[in-house]
mmCIF file of all heavy atoms in Angstrom:
data_model
loop_
_atom_site.group_PDB
_atom_site.id
_atom_site.type_symbol
_atom_site.label_atom_id
_atom_site.label_comp_id
_atom_site.label_asym_id
_atom_site.label_seq_id
_atom_site.Cartn_x
_atom_site.Cartn_y
_atom_site.Cartn_z
ATOM 1 N N ASP A 38 -84.662 -44.630 -121.092
ATOM 2 C CA ASP A 38 -85.233 -43.659 -120.165
ATOM 3 C C ASP A 38 -84.395 -43.617 -118.891
ATOM 4 O O ASP A 38 -84.866 -43.201 -117.845
ATOM 5 C CB ASP A 38 -86.686 -44.012 -119.840
ATOM 6 C CG ASP A 38 -86.810 -45.345 -119.123
ATOM 7 O OD1 ASP A 38 -85.800 -46.062 -118.991
ATOM 8 O OD2 ASP A 38 -87.914 -45.679 -118.682
ATOM 9 N N THR A 39 -83.145 -44.064 -118.998
ATOM 10 C CA THR A 39 -82.303 -44.227 -117.817
ATOM 11 C C THR A 39 -80.900 -43.702 -118.051
ATOM 12 O O THR A 39 -80.290 -43.982 -119.075
ATOM 13 C CB THR A 39 -82.212 -45.734 -117.451
ATOM 14 O OG1 THR A 39 -83.532 -46.222 -117.218
ATOM 15 C CG2 THR A 39 -81.353 -45.966 -116.232
ATOM 16 N N ILE A 40 -80.401 -42.965 -117.058
ATOM 17 C CA ILE A 40 -78.978 -42.632 -116.997
ATOM 18 C C ILE A 40 -78.430 -43.424 -115.816
ATOM 19 O O ILE A 40 -78.696 -43.077 -114.660
ATOM 20 C CB ILE A 40 -78.738 -41.125 -116.811
ATOM 21 C CG1 ILE A 40 -79.321 -40.332 -117.985
ATOM 22 C CG2 ILE A 40 -77.232 -40.851 -116.652
ATOM 23 C CD1 ILE A 40 -79.286 -38.834 -117.813
ATOM 24 N N PRO A 41 -77.715 -44.515 -116.088
ATOM 25 C CA PRO A 41 -77.197 -45.322 -114.984
ATOM 26 C C PRO A 41 -76.055 -44.590 -114.278
ATOM 27 O O PRO A 41 -75.391 -43.739 -114.883
ATOM 28 C CB PRO A 41 -76.691 -46.589 -115.674
ATOM 29 C CG PRO A 41 -76.388 -46.168 -117.070
ATOM 30 C CD PRO A 41 -77.323 -45.035 -117.391
ATOM 31 N N PHE A 42 -75.843 -44.924 -113.012
ATOM 32 C CA PHE A 42 -74.770 -44.274 -112.276
ATOM 33 C C PHE A 42 -74.321 -45.139 -111.104
ATOM 34 O O PHE A 42 -74.993 -46.102 -110.732
ATOM 35 C CB PHE A 42 -75.191 -42.885 -111.771
ATOM 36 C CG PHE A 42 -76.360 -42.919 -110.837
ATOM 37 C CD1 PHE A 42 -76.182 -43.044 -109.465
ATOM 38 C CD2 PHE A 42 -77.651 -42.836 -111.321
ATOM 39 C CE1 PHE A 42 -77.268 -43.086 -108.604
ATOM 40 C CE2 PHE A 42 -78.744 -42.872 -110.474
ATOM 41 C CZ PHE A 42 -78.552 -43.001 -109.110
ATOM 42 N N MET A 43 -73.182 -44.742 -110.544
ATOM 43 C CA MET A 43 -72.642 -45.335 -109.323
ATOM 44 C C MET A 43 -72.501 -44.208 -108.309
ATOM 45 O O MET A 43 -72.244 -43.059 -108.686
ATOM 46 C CB MET A 43 -71.273 -45.965 -109.588
ATOM 47 C CG MET A 43 -71.306 -47.089 -110.603
ATOM 48 S SD MET A 43 -69.650 -47.627 -111.093
ATOM 49 C CE MET A 43 -69.062 -48.381 -109.598
ATOM 50 N N LEU A 44 -72.666 -44.518 -107.028
ATOM 51 C CA LEU A 44 -72.456 -43.551 -105.943
ATOM 52 C C LEU A 44 -71.291 -44.016 -105.088
ATOM 53 O O LEU A 44 -71.137 -45.212 -104.836
ATOM 54 C CB LEU A 44 -73.708 -43.453 -105.060
ATOM 55 C CG LEU A 44 -74.894 -42.706 -105.628
ATOM 56 C CD1 LEU A 44 -76.100 -42.864 -104.705
ATOM 57 C CD2 LEU A 44 -74.567 -41.232 -105.819
ATOM 58 N N PHE A 45 -70.471 -43.064 -104.619
ATOM 59 C CA PHE A 45 -69.319 -43.396 -103.795
ATOM 60 C C PHE A 45 -69.493 -42.835 -102.391
ATOM 61 O O PHE A 45 -69.856 -41.668 -102.225
ATOM 62 C CB PHE A 45 -68.039 -42.869 -104.450
ATOM 63 C CG PHE A 45 -67.730 -43.601 -105.726
ATOM 64 C CD1 PHE A 45 -68.319 -43.216 -106.922
ATOM 65 C CD2 PHE A 45 -66.894 -44.697 -105.717
ATOM 66 C CE1 PHE A 45 -68.069 -43.905 -108.096
ATOM 67 C CE2 PHE A 45 -66.632 -45.396 -106.888
ATOM 68 C CZ PHE A 45 -67.222 -44.996 -108.078
ATOM 69 N N MET A 46 -69.263 -43.686 -101.402
ATOM 70 C CA MET A 46 -69.491 -43.358 -99.995
ATOM 71 C C MET A 46 -68.477 -42.335 -99.488
ATOM 72 O O MET A 46 -67.309 -42.385 -99.860
ATOM 73 C CB MET A 46 -69.386 -44.627 -99.151
ATOM 74 C CG MET A 46 -70.152 -45.801 -99.709
ATOM 75 S SD MET A 46 -71.796 -45.945 -99.112
ATOM 76 C CE MET A 46 -71.535 -46.520 -97.492
ATOM 77 N N LYS A 47 -68.942 -41.431 -98.607
ATOM 78 C CA LYS A 47 -68.068 -40.422 -98.008
ATOM 79 C C LYS A 47 -66.992 -41.048 -97.115
ATOM 80 O O LYS A 47 -65.852 -40.651 -97.147
ATOM 81 C CB LYS A 47 -68.881 -39.447 -97.146
ATOM 82 C CG LYS A 47 -69.396 -38.266 -97.877
ATOM 83 C CD LYS A 47 -70.048 -37.295 -96.903
ATOM 84 C CE LYS A 47 -70.637 -36.129 -97.658
ATOM 85 N NZ LYS A 47 -71.341 -35.205 -96.770
ATOM 86 N N ASN A 48 -67.382 -42.054 -96.319
ATOM 87 C CA ASN A 48 -66.466 -42.571 -95.302
ATOM 88 C C ASN A 48 -65.298 -43.373 -95.864
ATOM 89 O O ASN A 48 -64.239 -43.422 -95.253
ATOM 90 C CB ASN A 48 -67.223 -43.401 -94.254
ATOM 91 C CG ASN A 48 -67.944 -44.588 -94.858
ATOM 92 O OD1 ASN A 48 -67.989 -44.759 -96.072
ATOM 93 N ND2 ASN A 48 -68.520 -45.411 -94.012
ATOM 94 N N ASN A 49 -65.457 -44.003 -97.034
ATOM 95 C CA ASN A 49 -64.340 -44.813 -97.547
ATOM 96 C C ASN A 49 -64.123 -44.689 -99.059
ATOM 97 O O ASN A 49 -63.300 -45.395 -99.615
ATOM 98 C CB ASN A 49 -64.540 -46.285 -97.171
ATOM 99 C CG ASN A 49 -65.811 -46.870 -97.754
ATOM 100 O OD1 ASN A 49 -66.464 -46.270 -98.605
ATOM 101 N ND2 ASN A 49 -66.163 -48.057 -97.291
ATOM 102 N N GLN A 50 -64.848 -43.828 -99.715
ATOM 103 C CA GLN A 50 -64.761 -43.575 -101.162
ATOM 104 C C GLN A 50 -64.975 -44.833 -102.003
ATOM 105 O O GLN A 50 -64.585 -44.889 -103.157
ATOM 106 C CB GLN A 50 -63.414 -42.937 -101.551
ATOM 107 C CG GLN A 50 -63.291 -41.482 -101.195
ATOM 108 C CD GLN A 50 -62.902 -41.282 -99.740
ATOM 109 O OE1 GLN A 50 -62.062 -42.009 -99.232
ATOM 110 N NE2 GLN A 50 -63.490 -40.311 -99.090
ATOM 111 N N LYS A 51 -65.609 -45.862 -101.424
ATOM 112 C CA LYS A 51 -65.921 -47.072 -102.179
ATOM 113 C C LYS A 51 -67.331 -46.947 -102.743
ATOM 114 O O LYS A 51 -68.171 -46.239 -102.188
ATOM 115 C CB LYS A 51 -65.824 -48.303 -101.282
ATOM 116 C CG LYS A 51 -64.403 -48.615 -100.880
ATOM 117 C CD LYS A 51 -64.333 -49.904 -100.102
ATOM 118 C CE LYS A 51 -62.882 -50.176 -99.729
ATOM 119 N NZ LYS A 51 -62.755 -51.408 -98.967
ATOM 120 N N PRO A 52 -67.584 -47.660 -103.851
ATOM 121 C CA PRO A 52 -68.937 -47.589 -104.417
ATOM 122 C C PRO A 52 -69.973 -48.240 -103.514
ATOM 123 O O PRO A 52 -69.702 -49.252 -102.866
ATOM 124 C CB PRO A 52 -68.834 -48.349 -105.738
ATOM 125 C CG PRO A 52 -67.511 -48.988 -105.775
ATOM 126 C CD PRO A 52 -66.688 -48.481 -104.648
ATOM 127 N N LEU A 53 -71.144 -47.629 -103.485
ATOM 128 C CA LEU A 53 -72.281 -48.215 -102.788
ATOM 129 C C LEU A 53 -72.675 -49.474 -103.548
ATOM 130 O O LEU A 53 -72.779 -49.462 -104.772
ATOM 131 C CB LEU A 53 -73.457 -47.236 -102.779
ATOM 132 C CG LEU A 53 -74.804 -47.784 -102.322
ATOM 133 C CD1 LEU A 53 -74.764 -48.119 -100.824
ATOM 134 C CD2 LEU A 53 -75.917 -46.803 -102.624
ATOM 135 N N LYS A 54 -72.884 -50.570 -102.809
ATOM 136 C CA LYS A 54 -73.372 -51.807 -103.419
ATOM 137 C C LYS A 54 -74.661 -52.182 -102.713
ATOM 138 O O LYS A 54 -74.718 -52.200 -101.494
ATOM 139 C CB LYS A 54 -72.358 -52.932 -103.279
ATOM 140 C CG LYS A 54 -71.149 -52.743 -104.167
ATOM 141 C CD LYS A 54 -70.248 -53.940 -104.129
ATOM 142 C CE LYS A 54 -69.029 -53.696 -104.997
ATOM 143 N NZ LYS A 54 -68.108 -54.815 -104.955
ATOM 144 N N ALA A 55 -75.676 -52.460 -103.500
ATOM 145 C CA ALA A 55 -76.962 -52.885 -102.947
ATOM 146 C C ALA A 55 -77.101 -54.385 -103.148
ATOM 147 O O ALA A 55 -76.647 -54.938 -104.153
ATOM 148 C CB ALA A 55 -78.100 -52.151 -103.635
ATOM 149 N N PHE A 56 -77.735 -55.027 -102.174
ATOM 150 C CA PHE A 56 -77.897 -56.472 -102.188
ATOM 151 C C PHE A 56 -79.375 -56.821 -102.213
ATOM 152 O O PHE A 56 -80.168 -56.230 -101.498
ATOM 153 C CB PHE A 56 -77.297 -57.087 -100.916
ATOM 154 C CG PHE A 56 -75.841 -56.799 -100.726
ATOM 155 C CD1 PHE A 56 -75.419 -55.617 -100.140
ATOM 156 C CD2 PHE A 56 -74.895 -57.717 -101.137
ATOM 157 C CE1 PHE A 56 -74.076 -55.345 -99.959
ATOM 158 C CE2 PHE A 56 -73.538 -57.449 -100.953
ATOM 159 C CZ PHE A 56 -73.129 -56.271 -100.371
ATOM 160 N N THR A 57 -79.742 -57.788 -103.035
ATOM 161 C CA THR A 57 -81.068 -58.403 -102.978
ATOM 162 C C THR A 57 -80.835 -59.899 -102.884
ATOM 163 O O THR A 57 -79.689 -60.350 -102.836
ATOM 164 C CB THR A 57 -81.926 -58.092 -104.223
ATOM 165 O OG1 THR A 57 -81.337 -58.735 -105.357
ATOM 166 C CG2 THR A 57 -82.050 -56.605 -104.465
ATOM 167 N N GLN A 58 -81.886 -60.661 -102.906
ATOM 168 C CA GLN A 58 -81.730 -62.119 -102.843
ATOM 169 C C GLN A 58 -80.958 -62.657 -104.028
ATOM 170 O O GLN A 58 -80.239 -63.638 -103.913
ATOM 171 C CB GLN A 58 -83.095 -62.799 -102.784
ATOM 172 C CG GLN A 58 -83.820 -62.551 -101.487
ATOM 173 C CD GLN A 58 -85.187 -63.208 -101.485
ATOM 174 O OE1 GLN A 58 -85.670 -63.683 -102.503
ATOM 175 N NE2 GLN A 58 -85.820 -63.220 -100.328
ATOM 176 N N CYS A 59 -81.086 -62.001 -105.158
ATOM 177 C CA CYS A 59 -80.498 -62.545 -106.391
ATOM 178 C C CYS A 59 -79.269 -61.785 -106.904
ATOM 179 O O CYS A 59 -78.469 -62.355 -107.628
ATOM 180 C CB CYS A 59 -81.543 -62.546 -107.490
ATOM 181 S SG CYS A 59 -83.010 -63.484 -107.074
ATOM 182 N N ILE A 60 -79.150 -60.503 -106.572
ATOM 183 C CA ILE A 60 -78.053 -59.729 -107.167
ATOM 184 C C ILE A 60 -77.341 -58.858 -106.135
ATOM 185 O O ILE A 60 -77.893 -58.515 -105.098
ATOM 186 C CB ILE A 60 -78.541 -58.827 -108.329
ATOM 187 C CG1 ILE A 60 -79.531 -57.765 -107.835
ATOM 188 C CG2 ILE A 60 -79.144 -59.634 -109.445
ATOM 189 C CD1 ILE A 60 -79.859 -56.703 -108.858
ATOM 190 N N VAL A 61 -76.105 -58.517 -106.496
ATOM 191 C CA VAL A 61 -75.310 -57.519 -105.797
ATOM 192 C C VAL A 61 -74.896 -56.537 -106.887
ATOM 193 O O VAL A 61 -74.359 -56.953 -107.911
ATOM 194 C CB VAL A 61 -74.044 -58.141 -105.167
ATOM 195 C CG1 VAL A 61 -73.189 -57.065 -104.541
ATOM 196 C CG2 VAL A 61 -74.406 -59.220 -104.179
ATOM 197 N N THR A 62 -75.169 -55.255 -106.682
ATOM 198 C CA THR A 62 -74.869 -54.310 -107.750
ATOM 199 C C THR A 62 -74.459 -52.937 -107.232
ATOM 200 O O THR A 62 -74.993 -52.470 -106.229
ATOM 201 C CB THR A 62 -76.085 -54.155 -108.703
ATOM 202 O OG1 THR A 62 -75.701 -53.309 -109.799
ATOM 203 C CG2 THR A 62 -77.283 -53.570 -107.992
ATOM 204 N N PRO A 63 -73.518 -52.288 -107.930
ATOM 205 C CA PRO A 63 -73.188 -50.896 -107.646
ATOM 206 C C PRO A 63 -73.847 -49.928 -108.643
ATOM 207 O O PRO A 63 -73.516 -48.759 -108.682
ATOM 208 C CB PRO A 63 -71.669 -50.874 -107.804
ATOM 209 C CG PRO A 63 -71.427 -51.861 -108.906
ATOM 210 C CD PRO A 63 -72.495 -52.930 -108.748
ATOM 211 N N PHE A 64 -74.768 -50.446 -109.472
ATOM 212 C CA PHE A 64 -75.372 -49.659 -110.547
ATOM 213 C C PHE A 64 -76.833 -49.344 -110.231
ATOM 214 O O PHE A 64 -77.594 -50.224 -109.840
ATOM 215 C CB PHE A 64 -75.285 -50.415 -111.875
ATOM 216 C CG PHE A 64 -73.889 -50.859 -112.199
ATOM 217 C CD1 PHE A 64 -73.544 -52.193 -112.135
ATOM 218 C CD2 PHE A 64 -72.921 -49.934 -112.545
ATOM 219 C CE1 PHE A 64 -72.260 -52.613 -112.422
ATOM 220 C CE2 PHE A 64 -71.630 -50.339 -112.825
ATOM 221 C CZ PHE A 64 -71.301 -51.683 -112.768
ATOM 222 N N PHE A 65 -77.214 -48.064 -110.474
ATOM 223 C CA PHE A 65 -78.535 -47.608 -110.076
ATOM 224 C C PHE A 65 -79.176 -46.721 -111.131
ATOM 225 O O PHE A 65 -78.503 -46.155 -111.986
ATOM 226 C CB PHE A 65 -78.446 -46.826 -108.760
ATOM 227 C CG PHE A 65 -77.814 -47.612 -107.657
ATOM 228 C CD1 PHE A 65 -76.472 -47.457 -107.359
ATOM 229 C CD2 PHE A 65 -78.558 -48.532 -106.930
ATOM 230 C CE1 PHE A 65 -75.877 -48.207 -106.358
ATOM 231 C CE2 PHE A 65 -77.968 -49.288 -105.928
ATOM 232 C CZ PHE A 65 -76.629 -49.121 -105.637
ATOM 233 N N ARG A 66 -80.509 -46.577 -110.965
ATOM 234 C CA ARG A 66 -81.308 -45.636 -111.741
ATOM 235 C C ARG A 66 -82.067 -44.780 -110.742
ATOM 236 O O ARG A 66 -82.630 -45.299 -109.783
ATOM 237 C CB ARG A 66 -82.320 -46.392 -112.612
ATOM 238 C CG ARG A 66 -83.246 -45.462 -113.385
ATOM 239 C CD ARG A 66 -84.358 -46.240 -114.102
ATOM 240 N NE ARG A 66 -85.017 -45.419 -115.096
ATOM 241 C CZ ARG A 66 -85.988 -44.545 -114.835
ATOM 242 N NH1 ARG A 66 -86.427 -44.386 -113.596
ATOM 243 N NH2 ARG A 66 -86.525 -43.831 -115.791
ATOM 244 N N LEU A 67 -82.098 -43.484 -110.943
ATOM 245 C CA LEU A 67 -82.853 -42.591 -110.075
ATOM 246 C C LEU A 67 -84.333 -42.711 -110.393
ATOM 247 O O LEU A 67 -84.749 -42.532 -111.538
ATOM 248 C CB LEU A 67 -82.393 -41.145 -110.271
ATOM 249 C CG LEU A 67 -83.130 -40.085 -109.458
ATOM 250 C CD1 LEU A 67 -82.947 -40.312 -107.965
ATOM 251 C CD2 LEU A 67 -82.674 -38.692 -109.859
#
Side-chain angles (χ1 to χ4, degrees):
D38 63 353
T39 302
I40 299 173
F42 61 90
M43 298 171 68
L44 286 173
F45 292 84
M46 313 268 286
K47 270 186 183 177
N48 60 354
N49 61 11
Q50 285 82 41
K51 290 185 180 180
L53 169 68
K54 288 187 182 178
F56 301 84
T57 67
Q58 291 178 350
C59 302
I60 64 170
V61 176
T62 185
F64 307 109
F65 304 97
R66 176 187 195 278
L67 178 62

